[in-house]
Amino acid sequence: MLGRELRLLWRACSLRLIALCLAFFLCTHFFTELRRKSWPHAELVVKGQAREPGLSVEEHSRRTEEVPSKRQVIYVRRNNRGGSSGRRGGDSSLHKRDALKPVRWHIDLQPWAGPSHSLSEEATRFLHYITKSQIVCSQLVTNGLTKESVENGKPWTVCLDDRFSLAHQIRNQQCRMYSLGLGDDDSLFEVNMASGGCEVHRFDPSIGSAHIHEGERLWHHRLSVDWRDPNPAIAAHRLHSNTKKLSTILNEFGHWKIDILKADMESAEWKILENLVLEGIVEQIGQLVVEIHLHWPGFEVSGNDSTVVRYWYSLLKELERKDFRLFYTYKDLSKPQLFLKKEAFNASSCYILSWVNTRW
Ligand SMILES: *[C@@H]1O[C@H](CO)[C@@H](O)[C@H](O)[C@H]1NC(C)=O
Ligand SMILES: *[C@@H]1O[C@H](CO)[C@@H](O)[C@H](O)[C@H]1NC(C)=O
């Protein structure tokens, strides 16, 4: 009786033992399989890394040993992807970097020209600054690509020295010019640049239709460039209120760069320039040809006279900080010789200045 019970007990125990062993074996097998499947993956990634030229043998083996967990594998792969897109350095990464530009709300004001903050100190510094070229251009071209000089008309001047991109862009027929004006100007410069191979966009709020295509490469757009976009509520009520910021126009036209920006904006040039500096648009411009007006502060420029002149000067210094260099300066003696409504400082109310972006 006892012997039988013992035998039964023994059999139950051994059965349990066998089941336990089986379970243990299955578990071990399962985990080994799992591990084997995840390993080749990690090794592949590390091999990819090893192709980097700067990586020493020790570094490589250290990294191979360091890849036991999945989390690290993912980290290595991400790292790798970032590196390869950096090497490509294409337009997309440029645009991405561009989108991360910090927003600026005001330009950096230069120190006062002198301790008394007087108008004469500010005016002397400013007038000296705008009448002195900062760089020598040996191929100045005025009013278009034809060499014949134009007697009447303003001397809009660009620099075709080979060290700047404009000359190459014109040769490759990839030159683009924007001309901002208010309609009272002749378009000789624009017509000549278009016939010389530039794609010219003229923004003029006074024309009859929204867009006019003249000749092969000259467009007129019924748009006025401003330093802000219009309030949508107001814009809806005004007829032809086609006023836009340059950045908005560039976006809408799908243009990334402008080889020449010409601006003849009757005192709106200060706020427009400020907007281009603050939004970082000025870096997309190769050469700037601007008529500046000094007989009054300009639209929405406020403060006493010395504050205004200091602001003008600071704005132009911002261009210099972006590696723009003044290569041409012209004092218009046909205009009233007024400086902030005063006949003073031997100044004209009107100057034409040309800068080249030396980063291009
Ligand atoms: C103009 O205003 C600035 C700042 O408001 C002041 O520092 C400066 O002395 C003023 N200049 C004159 C000539 O009044
Ligand atoms: C005034 O400026 C003109 C050039 O713009 C110059 O020829 C002339 O000498 C200047 N006059 C004085 C008094 O500085």
Side-chain angles (χ1 to χ4, degrees), residues 79-90:
N79 204 17
N80 199 19
R81 202 183 301 152
S84 72
S85 90
R87 266 195 296 280
R88 258 185 275 120

Side-chain angles (χ1 to χ4, degrees), residues 135-317:
I135 207 171
V136 177
C137 173
S138 48
Q139 293 242 43
L140 289 177
V141 177
T142 298
N143 266 321
L145 301 168
T146 48
K147 284 285 160 69
E148 59 206 67
S149 70
V150 184
E151 292 304 318
N152 46 358
K154 294 172 185 172
W156 304 107
T157 301
V158 294
C159 180
L160 292 189
D161 279 6
D162 259 342
R163 65 193 152 136
F164 306 125
S165 76
L166 181 59
H168 307 279
Q169 296 294 91
I170 289 172
R171 229 172 282 138
N172 300 334
Q173 306 248 313
Q174 284 176 349
C175 149
R176 177 181 297 131
M177 171 166 146
Y178 272 30
S179 164
L180 323 182
L182 292 170
D184 60 347
D185 205 27
D186 66 84
S187 54
L188 182 72
F189 181 41
E190 289 79 359
V191 170
N192 279 344
M193 290 309 286
S195 60
C198 280
E199 171 193 317
V200 179
H201 298 270
R202 188 163 182 261
F203 299 91
D204 177 353
S206 68
I207 61 170
S209 37
H211 302 281
I212 299 172
H213 192 179
E214 178 189 331
E216 202 185 331
R217 295 193 194 88
L218 178 58
W219 284 265
H220 302 266
H221 307 280
R222 193 175 58 209
L223 277 171
S224 175
V225 175
D226 205 344
W227 57 92
R228 63 198 152 197
D229 281 330
N231 181 332
I234 296 168
H237 295 293
R238 255 196 294 162
L239 197 63
H240 301 330
S241 73
N242 283 319
T243 296
K244 284 175 182 165
K245 289 193 300 187
L246 191 63
S247 55
T248 309
I249 294 174
L250 281 168
N251 270 340
E252 287 179 4
F253 284 23
H255 291 162
W256 165 240
K257 51 145 210 131
I258 307 170
D259 294 288
I260 305 164
L261 181 78
K262 174 205 162 191
D264 182 6
M265 293 302 290
E266 306 303 334
S267 297
E269 66 273 6
W270 300 112
K271 291 305 274 187
I272 290 173
L273 268 181
E274 183 192 69
N275 171 253
L276 299 186
V277 166
L278 294 181
E279 292 195 16
I281 303 295
V282 81
E283 284 135 63
Q284 290 163 243
I285 298 169
Q287 297 195 15
L288 254 179
V289 188
V290 182
E291 182 173 82
I292 58 165
H293 301 87
L294 312 179
H295 55 290
W296 72 295
F299 294 102
E300 293 196 12
V301 179
S302 56
N304 60 24
D305 286 351
S306 34
T307 303
V308 167
V309 180
R310 182 193 182 202
Y311 165 79
W312 289 344
Y313 177 71
S314 305
L315 198 45
L316 302 188
K317 289 295 273 188

Side-chain angles (χ1 to χ4, degrees), residues 331 333 337 345-347 351:
K331 178 182 180 182
L333 294 169
Q337 303 297 291
F345 313 115
N346 193 22
Y351 291 78

